[in-house]
């Protein structure tokens, strides 16, 4: 079955457009929350077409369980079909870091430092891009498992990112051999700059779904008064943040 956008914005997977002749459909697999999508790093991905246009604010999150570590590992990416991508959240490098890139320049990247990605473990990875920030390095932030990480920046992160290109999970759009290696689950893309409190609360509530202590999974939707055991959850509501542009419960 094709992947559906559960945000209500109907940015669903394209059918019959898997990519070039060497593309194969990825495999659905038991995952952290229900099912996820397992990619083989070579010739598997899913495409959603040219959705999510020009913006100066973007938050992208996904759960990621690498089969093995390698260079690139593009998890969620938007690309015109020629290198480099419009933007990317990458699941790691051979050294165990993860990264993000915004703007069509191979030099405008943010790479996590001191946050090792280990094969066969689950991680909630998040990039927050805010082109309205005056300080260039404040425009791109990375989080791992709900916590901000130290980042090494290169290049000048742009004030906005372009409209063109297809949204893909598990692959860049321009060539074979640039694929993700492992399982992706619960992708969320938002044209809102998510706060640290939101990111932490989302991580804690989604993580609880994989526990066996009876802790319920909390689905974050419209603002309402709730009582949960998550530190700083109240500040998540105080931000006035709204729902995502696209959410994929794989």
């Amino acid at each position: 079955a094709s992947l559906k956008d559960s945000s209500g914005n109907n940015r669903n997977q394209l059918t019959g457009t898997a990519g070039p002749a060497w593309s194969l459909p990825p495999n659905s697999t038991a995952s952290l929350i229900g099912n996820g999508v397992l990619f083989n790093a070579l010739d598997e991905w899913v495409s959603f077409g040219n959705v999510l246009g020009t913006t100066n604010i973007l938050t992208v999150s996904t759960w990621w369980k690498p089969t093995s570590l390698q260079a690139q590992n593009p998890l969620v990416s938007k690309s015109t079909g020629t290198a480099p991508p419009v933007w990317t959240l990458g699941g790691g490098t051979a050294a165990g870091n993860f990264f993000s890139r915004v703007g069509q320049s191979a030099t405008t990247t943010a790479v996590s430092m001191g946050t090792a990605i280990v094969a066969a473990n689950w991680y909630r990875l998040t990039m927050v891009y805010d082109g309205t920030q005056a300080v260039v390095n404040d425009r791109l932030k990375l989080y791992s498992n709900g916590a901000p990480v130290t980042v090494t920046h290169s290049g000048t992160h742009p004030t906005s990112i372009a409209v063109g290109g297809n949204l893909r999970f598990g692959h860049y759009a321009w060539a074979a051999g640039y694929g993700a290696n492992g399982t992706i689950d619960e992708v969320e893309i938002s044209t809102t700059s998510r706060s640290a409190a939101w990111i932490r609360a989302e991580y804690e509530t989604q993580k609880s779904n994989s526990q066996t202590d009876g802790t319920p999974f909390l689905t974050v939707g419209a603002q309402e008064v709730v009582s949960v055991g998550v530190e700083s959850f109240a500040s998540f509501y105080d931000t006035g943040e709204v729902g995502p542009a696209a959410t994929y419960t794989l």
Side-chain angles (χ1 to χ4, degrees), residues 32 54 58 63 144 215 219:
L32 187 77
T54 298
L58 187 72
W63 283 98
S144 175
T215 306
T219 300

Side-chain angles (χ1 to χ4, degrees), residues 161-173:
I161 45 182
V163 64
N166 291 331
L167 173 66
R168 282 189 177 184
F169 296 171
H171 202 274
Y172 293 134

Side-chain angles (χ1 to χ4, degrees), residues 214-236:
T215 306
F217 171 66
L218 174 67
T219 300
V220 178
Q223 296 185 19
E224 57 183 317
V225 177
V226 295
S227 177
V228 295
V230 178
E231 184 179 357
S232 301
F233 198 87
S235 65
F236 153 72

Side-chain angles (χ1 to χ4, degrees), residues 175-189:
Y178 288 95
N181 187 14
T183 303
I184 294 173
D185 198 2
E186 303 299 315
V187 178
E188 183 176 298
I189 305 168

Side-chain angles (χ1 to χ4, degrees), residues 18 69 79 84 134 148 153 157 169 175 179 182 200 204 215 244:
L69 300 180
S79 173
H153 296 269
H157 307 311
F169 296 171
R200 181 68 182 181
E204 293 291 349
T215 306

Side-chain angles (χ1 to χ4, degrees), residues 14 17-19 45-52 76-82 85-88 162-169 171-174:
L14 298 179
T17 55
W45 66 79
V46 289
S47 178
F48 300 86
N50 186 8
V51 298
L52 304 170
V76 187
S77 181
K78 198 167 191 285
S79 173
T80 60
T82 57
V86 176
W87 56 261
T88 299
V163 64
N166 291 331
L167 173 66
R168 282 189 177 184
F169 296 171
H171 202 274
Y172 293 134
W174 65 79

